[in-house]
Amino acid sequence: MQTIQEYIATHKNRFIEELIDLLKIPSVSADTAYSQDVLNTADAIMESLKKAGCDKVELCETPGYPIVYGEKIIDKSLPTVLVYGHYDVQPADPIDLWDSPPFSPVIKKTAIHPEGAIFARGACDDKGQMYMHVKALEYMTSQGNLPCNVKFMIEGEEEVGSESLAWFVPRNTEKLANDVILISDTGMIANDIPSITTGLRGLSYVEVEVTGPNRDLHSGLYGGAVANPINILSKMIASLHDENNHITIPGFYDKVEELSREERDEMAKAPFSLEEYKKALDIDAVYGEKDYTTNERNSIRPTLDVNGIWGGYTGEGAKTVIASKAYAKISMRLVPNQNWEEITELFKSHFESIAPAGVKVKVTPHHGGQGYVTPIDNIGYQAASKAYQETFGVTPIPQRSGGSIPIVALFEQELKSKTILMGFGLNSDAIHSPNEHFGVWNYLKGIETIPYFYKYFTELSK
Amino acid sequence: MQTIQEYIATHKNRFIEELIDLLKIPSVSADTAYSQDVLNTADAIMESLKKAGCDKVELCETPGYPIVYGEKIIDKSLPTVLVYGHYDVQPADPIDLWDSPPFSPVIKKTAIHPEGAIFARGACDDKGQMYMHVKALEYMTSQGNLPCNVKFMIEGEEEVGSESLAWFVPRNTEKLANDVILISDTGMIANDIPSITTGLRGLSYVEVEVTGPNRDLHSGLYGGAVANPINILSKMIASLHDENNHITIPGFYDKVEELSREERDEMAKAPFSLEEYKKALDIDAVYGEKDYTTNERNSIRPTLDVNGIWGGYTGEGAKTVIASKAYAKISMRLVPNQNWEEITELFKSHFESIAPAGVKVKVTPHHGGQGYVTPIDNIGYQAASKAYQETFGVTPIPQRSGGSIPIVALFEQELKSKTILMGFGLNSDAIHSPNEHFGVWNYLKGIETIPYFYKYFTELSK
């Protein structure tokens, strides 16, 4: 029997090639032009699960893209790990900012990744991180040392709100029954500072439309005399934060958990250099809610960001037009205890109430999800912590993430089990951005660490 | 000798046919596909000026499309009228919204034009209104009653910014020397309420770019911790107006002419129904600077409007991104005495100064022009007023327009003469829009009125 380290040494080139093949399929779930590619990716994942040793693999139909399900049940009396991941990716726009085509993966060395990183849309989020689990399973089944049962549930709509998964999970609670859920769709602090995400923010994502006059107008003849939807939208957006960058929506903070000074002091121990943070983003100052640090602002505090805005003439040159309509996409990151549907309703009422006479406002909720916390005394957390200690040689740091995986709260509600977020990506991996990449070292380190999680989780479950 | 009324009765069918021939040539200056048509139109105008009795007609080369120049000098001791117009037209897009092809003129009756209107691109703006002057000259030369000298300057780039004219005028001040400039490129209130445009607004048009982090970021991981360029741009735009909708740029109003209560009362006599105005635009309220009426807001007051805004994800569905950059196109309509270059500079300094730490701001001026006013005690205005009284039977109303014709301020600067804006079109003529048209009655009324202007201007000049 080979150790995981020996197995990786033998097969690492193939592991990389297989991931590259997967990254070549542009599985952009947000754009229907890619729907066949999304389906083809699901097929490829099915094949890979079969090859990795799953006994039963199936494509589960949903109202949207199918969910790939696979399982290997070795003994019903043993614990069951449910692996969740997603095979869809973010849109690649803006394409012209990519140094190489987003769906033609290339391996390049960077300062942080001296052993090379794979550059492609989805390299880290989440094809690379999801595929680590497939390869870890391949190792365990090939060597006959899988210590427990395993189920895979890989969806194709994570980047557009996981609606079909939310439909699927409550209808398949028996099939999905498990003792712990394992996800690699987050990051860690640094390659020498592993961390485990213990908290996720919730999300409420809405689109707003402001309509002024019933048609585009000449700005000379009408300028100054009618409400300009772009000016009004800007004003409404601006009013959503006060001078301390608190969000002004009434009731928004009512259920926000206030951390104690002790907890905040504990968090503040995570290594963080504000200078390096600013330098990496090329900004001369950070910006955010008064009386909170950068790491608090993006983890334990709720936020409101405009993700897109458009209206009027946006082509070359000048056009003196007052647009009839202006639009924005706005998302709010929520903290545990904030209910996303309630927050969406608060946003909608407030936004409609601040519209001045002269415009009409429409708020359309896109999607959302609850925040989530895993306590560090949970045996899943402890098994993960021991696994990292094996392969990184240090104890990982528990960390609240600013991101959202709304489905995690749903898992807890429907499947009654806790989720362990073992992420191996880095903040600098540019997920959702041009030039997304995933370190080869990180990819292989994930494959190496995962089998230890199975081992310790099974032992701690006894 | 025939009166102008007799002459029109004899020749009106030919006048209409000649205009229709001119409208058949698609002289779209914005699209190089039509460049030969633009040149052919210039040739046609040359021919028409020769036939109308000009002694000297020439095509003046410029860096762009040529300027058609014609003159009839009868006595150097008499005053000289310079007629300005343009032979180019706006693009016809969106073509599919036209009820008949834009360059196949047809005459149809409408509620406002019971005697029929000519439907074609350029029918009103400006071929029809410009050609009235050619036909009025034809009348005066054919009857030997031209009372003064006349010069024509008809350009081919008005719809794309008159750059070649701005090059031509300062180089030909002697050739263009005149006592008054006459333009028909504006409108009047109604066929039974003639009006003369006495003021035009200036313009400063800029593009702004706000840069935050050096790349698009995941809004979960960075949301709340860095300045979001779209939120910041919205906030900066919102801050450009105060709670009374005054513009907050320091110094912006310093040179704004404050009209007396009497002048404002005079303006307020123009017929205007706020209910109809709101109904036509499908808005439940107007919006604008406190303490000014709608007609004041869009004529005697400077304004600031966002003409376009964009940034982040604007496609279908949702993307949780913090954009690296956000952009807006912003224009300010200026009133007489405000210098557009000074205002552009004030905007730039102010906009840069209000950028918070964490973003970089770039302001790029696009173009601009000065505002303009003709005092109603000017003899050109008085001559025009008497001419309208002759042919309409009522005294025309002096009216400030919210629009801009930047070249008019240049004429005053370079040629030291005032411009009289005798427009015969109506707001409902759909200039720059599908189904542009010009009433046959308006066309003939213009031809009838213009010779009286020459008569009274010459008399008042004595």
Side-chain angles (χ1 to χ4, degrees):
Chain A
M1 191 175 88
Q2 282 186 298
T3 64
I4 179 66
Q5 289 76 15
E6 290 163 351
Y7 193 79
I8 289 172
T10 312
H11 299 283
K12 66 179 180 185
N13 288 341
R14 177 172 59 80
F15 288 176
I16 293 166
E17 279 157 27
E18 286 177 13
L19 174 56
I20 283 177
D21 284 343
L22 205 54
L23 292 169
K24 287 180 182 169
I25 321 177
S27 51
V28 180
S29 50
D31 187 342
T32 50
Y34 294 98
S35 57
Q36 190 55 52
D37 297 298
V38 180
L39 295 171
N40 291 347
T41 310
D43 288 341
I45 302 299
M46 287 228 315
E47 283 312 305
S48 70
L49 284 174
K50 283 177 197 163
K51 284 189 192 152
C54 279
D55 292 331
K56 183 173 137 191
V57 177
E58 57 187 26
L59 210 57
C60 303
E61 293 305 320
T62 73
Y65 287 118
I67 288 160
V68 178
Y69 177 80
E71 64 177 36
K72 178 143 186 103
I73 307 297
I74 56 170
D75 181 341
K76 291 203 169 167
S77 68
L78 287 170
T80 300
V81 175
L82 173 65
V83 175
Y84 161 82
H86 63 95
Y87 62 83
D88 64 323
V89 300
Q90 277 277 314
D93 319 84
I95 297 267
D96 54 340
L97 294 185
W98 284 77
D99 295 331
S100 56
F103 300 107
S104 302
V106 291
I107 297 179
K108 283 187 292 191
K109 289 182 183 177
T110 73
I112 291 178
H113 299 293
E115 300 179 44
I118 305 170
F119 283 76
R121 170 56 82 229
C124 179
D125 177 19
D126 181 45
K127 284 174 175 169
Q129 296 219 75
M130 175 268 290
Y131 206 67
M132 298 181 313
H133 291 269
V134 181
K135 294 297 101 177
L137 176 68
E138 175 193 309
Y139 161 72
M140 293 182 283
T141 57
S142 72
Q143 305 299 311
N145 63 4
L146 178 66
C148 60
N149 305 310
V150 58
K151 295 175 177 175
F152 276 76
M153 171 171 64
I154 314 296
E155 69 150 321
E157 296 178 20
E158 199 271 346
E159 301 294 3
V160 291
S162 298
E163 272 186 32
S164 294
L165 191 72
W167 174 92
F168 179 78
V169 171
R171 284 168 176 76
N172 291 277
T173 50
E174 199 123 330
K175 179 199 278 268
L176 302 172
N178 66 78
D179 298 285
V180 70
I181 297 168
L182 187 56
I183 304 181
S184 295
D185 197 16
T186 50
M188 57 183 184
I189 296 171
N191 282 355
D192 55 352
I193 309 167
S195 55
I196 298 172
T197 301
T198 53
L200 291 167
R201 289 199 283 189
L203 179 71
S204 166
Y205 199 114
V206 299
E207 187 161 324
V208 301
E209 177 191 285
V210 175
T211 305
N214 53 3
R215 58 191 162 91
D216 288 1
L217 299 176
H218 188 294
S219 72
L221 303 182
Y222 291 92
V226 298
N228 176 327
I230 304 177
N231 287 74
I232 298 296
L233 175 60
S234 298
K235 198 172 163 174
M236 292 171 75
I237 289 170
S239 80
L240 297 175
H241 289 94
D242 69 14
E243 68 281 10
N244 295 321
N245 276 310
H246 289 298
I247 294 159
T248 57
I249 299 167
F252 185 84
Y253 290 101
D254 282 0
K255 296 189 179 168
V256 169
E257 162 202 45
E258 289 291 341
L259 271 69
S260 66
R261 191 67 257 169
E262 292 66 38
E263 285 174 288
R264 291 173 66 184
D265 289 345
E266 193 59 33
M267 274 186 71
K269 289 181 185 161
F272 176 74
S273 158
L274 192 60
E275 281 318 304
E276 276 172 34
Y277 185 86
K278 291 191 290 184
K279 199 175 154 196
L281 300 173
D282 193 16
I283 52 179
D284 57 6
V286 292
Y287 187 92
E289 194 179 1
K290 204 182 164 196
D291 299 332
Y292 291 92
T293 66
T294 291
N295 275 338
E296 289 171 340
R297 286 168 177 169
N298 67 14
S299 63
I300 61 167
R301 297 299 296 171
T303 60
L304 183 151
D305 273 292
V306 183
N307 302 110
I309 192 166
W310 69 104
Y313 183 69
T314 59
E316 214 185 308
K319 188 173 172 184
T320 48
V321 68
I322 293 178
S324 170
K325 287 173 186 286
Y327 306 84
K329 290 176 196 272
I330 298 175
S331 68
M332 289 157 282
R333 296 286 167 169
L334 310 177
V335 294
N337 300 339
Q338 282 185 298
N339 179 295
W340 79 268
E341 284 166 317
E342 200 176 303
I343 292 291
T344 303
E345 203 40 61
L346 288 177
F347 178 92
K348 190 169 153 60
S349 312
H350 177 66
F351 204 73
E352 287 168 353
S353 77
I354 60 174
V359 300
K360 299 175 194 79
V361 166
K362 200 169 101 185
V363 176
T364 310
H366 264 306
H367 64 269
Q370 307 300 96
Y372 179 78
V373 169
T374 301
I376 61 173
D377 58 4
N378 175 280
I379 61 162
Y381 183 86
Q382 292 174 358
S385 179
K386 287 166 81 79
Y388 280 91
Q389 289 170 48
E390 278 298 339
T391 56
F392 285 78
V394 292
T395 304
I397 295 172
Q399 196 191 22
R400 291 275 193 108
S401 164
S404 305
I405 311 181
I407 209 70
V408 171
L410 182 88
F411 289 161
E412 179 161 38
Q413 182 189 317
E414 298 292 334
L415 305 176
K416 320 290 178 207
S417 50
K418 281 285 176 187
T419 292
I420 307 302
L421 296 156
M422 288 175 69
F424 294 90
L426 299 178
N427 270 350
S428 55
D429 287 346
I431 65 167
H432 292 211
S433 298
N435 302 315
E436 174 178 353
H437 56 281
F438 188 33
V440 170
W441 183 90
N442 300 68
Y443 176 54
L444 299 176
K445 206 68 179 174
I447 299 170
E448 183 186 349
T449 307
I450 291 163
Y452 290 102
F453 172 81
Y454 282 75
K455 173 173 179 275
Y456 291 120
F457 185 75
T458 307
E459 287 178 14
L460 290 169
S461 297
K462 275 170 192 163
Chain B
M1 191 175 89
Q2 281 187 301
T3 63
I4 180 66
Q5 288 77 16
E6 290 162 351
Y7 193 81
I8 290 171
T10 312
H11 298 283
K12 66 179 181 185
N13 288 340
R14 178 173 56 80
F15 288 176
I16 293 165
E17 279 158 28
E18 286 177 13
L19 175 56
I20 283 177
D21 283 344
L22 205 55
L23 292 169
K24 286 179 182 169
I25 321 177
S27 51
V28 180
S29 50
D31 187 342
T32 50
Y34 294 99
S35 56
Q36 189 55 52
D37 297 298
V38 180
L39 295 171
N40 291 347
T41 309
D43 288 341
I45 302 298
M46 287 228 314
E47 283 312 305
S48 70
L49 284 175
K50 282 179 198 162
K51 283 189 193 152
C54 280
D55 292 331
K56 185 173 135 191
V57 177
E58 58 187 26
L59 210 58
C60 304
E61 293 304 322
T62 72
Y65 286 119
I67 287 161
V68 178
Y69 177 81
E71 65 177 36
K72 179 150 183 96
I73 308 297
I74 56 168
D75 181 343
K76 291 202 169 169
S77 68
L78 287 170
T80 299
V81 175
L82 174 65
V83 175
Y84 161 82
H86 63 95
Y87 62 83
D88 65 322
V89 300
Q90 276 278 315
D93 317 88
I95 297 268
D96 54 341
L97 294 185
W98 284 77
D99 295 330
S100 56
F103 300 107
S104 303
V106 292
I107 297 179
K108 282 187 293 190
K109 289 181 184 176
T110 73
I112 290 179
H113 298 294
E115 300 179 42
I118 305 169
F119 283 76
R121 169 56 81 230
C124 179
D125 178 18
D126 182 46
K127 284 176 175 168
Q129 295 219 74
M130 175 267 291
Y131 205 64
M132 298 181 314
H133 291 270
V134 181
K135 294 298 100 178
L137 176 68
E138 175 193 309
Y139 162 69
M140 293 183 283
T141 56
S142 71
Q143 305 299 308
N145 63 5
L146 178 66
C148 61
N149 304 310
V150 57
K151 295 175 177 175
F152 275 77
M153 172 170 65
I154 314 297
E155 69 150 323
E157 295 180 20
E158 199 271 346
E159 301 294 4
V160 291
S162 298
E163 272 186 32
S164 293
L165 190 72
W167 174 92
F168 179 76
V169 170
R171 285 170 175 76
N172 291 276
T173 51
E174 198 124 332
K175 180 200 278 271
L176 301 172
N178 66 78
D179 297 286
V180 70
I181 297 168
L182 188 56
I183 304 180
S184 296
D185 198 16
T186 50
M188 56 182 186
I189 296 170
N191 282 355
D192 55 351
I193 310 166
S195 55
I196 298 171
T197 301
T198 53
L200 293 167
R201 290 199 283 189
L203 179 72
S204 165
Y205 200 114
V206 300
E207 187 161 324
V208 301
E209 177 191 286
V210 175
T211 305
N214 53 2
R215 59 191 163 90
D216 287 1
L217 299 175
H218 187 293
S219 71
L221 303 183
Y222 291 90
V226 298
N228 175 329
I230 304 178
N231 287 74
I232 298 296
L233 175 59
S234 298
K235 199 173 163 175
M236 292 172 74
I237 288 171
S239 80
L240 296 175
H241 289 94
D242 69 13
E243 68 281 11
N244 296 320
N245 276 311
H246 290 299
I247 294 159
T248 57
I249 300 167
F252 186 83
Y253 290 102
D254 282 1
K255 296 189 179 169
V256 169
E257 163 203 45
E258 289 290 341
L259 271 70
S260 67
R261 191 66 257 168
E262 291 68 37
E263 286 173 288
R264 291 173 65 184
D265 289 345
E266 193 59 33
M267 275 187 69
K269 289 180 184 160
F272 176 75
S273 159
L274 191 61
E275 282 316 304
E276 277 171 34
Y277 185 85
K278 290 192 290 183
K279 200 174 153 196
L281 300 173
D282 193 17
I283 53 178
D284 57 6
V286 292
Y287 187 91
E289 194 179 2
K290 203 183 165 197
D291 298 331
Y292 292 92
T293 67
T294 292
N295 275 337
E296 290 171 341
R297 286 168 177 168
N298 67 14
S299 62
I300 62 168
R301 297 299 295 171
T303 59
L304 183 151
D305 273 293
V306 182
N307 302 108
I309 192 165
W310 68 104
Y313 183 68
T314 60
E316 214 184 309
K319 186 174 172 181
T320 48
V321 67
I322 293 177
S324 170
K325 287 173 187 287
Y327 305 84
K329 291 177 196 271
I330 298 175
S331 69
M332 289 156 281
R333 296 283 168 170
L334 310 177
V335 293
N337 301 337
Q338 283 185 299
N339 178 295
W340 80 268
E341 283 165 319
E342 199 176 304
I343 292 292
T344 304
E345 203 40 59
L346 288 177
F347 178 91
K348 190 169 152 60
S349 312
H350 177 65
F351 205 72
E352 287 168 354
S353 77
I354 60 174
V359 301
K360 298 176 195 80
V361 167
K362 199 168 100 185
V363 177
T364 310
H366 264 305
H367 66 270
Q370 306 301 93
Y372 180 79
V373 167
T374 301
I376 61 173
D377 58 5
N378 175 279
I379 60 163
Y381 182 86
Q382 291 174 357
S385 179
K386 286 165 84 78
Y388 280 90
Q389 289 171 49
E390 279 294 342
T391 56
F392 286 77
V394 291
T395 305
I397 295 172
Q399 197 190 23
R400 293 276 192 105
S401 165
S404 305
I405 311 181
I407 207 70
V408 171
L410 181 88
F411 289 162
E412 178 161 38
Q413 183 189 315
E414 298 292 334
L415 305 176
K416 318 293 178 207
S417 49
K418 281 287 177 186
T419 291
I420 307 302
L421 296 157
M422 289 175 69
F424 294 89
L426 300 178
N427 269 349
S428 55
D429 287 346
I431 67 167
H432 291 213
S433 296
N435 301 315
E436 175 178 354
H437 56 281
F438 188 33
V440 169
W441 184 90
N442 300 68
Y443 175 54
L444 299 176
K445 207 67 178 173
I447 299 171
E448 182 187 348
T449 307
I450 291 163
Y452 290 102
F453 173 81
Y454 282 74
K455 175 172 178 275
Y456 290 120
F457 185 74
T458 307
E459 287 178 13
L460 290 169
S461 296
K462 276 170 191 163

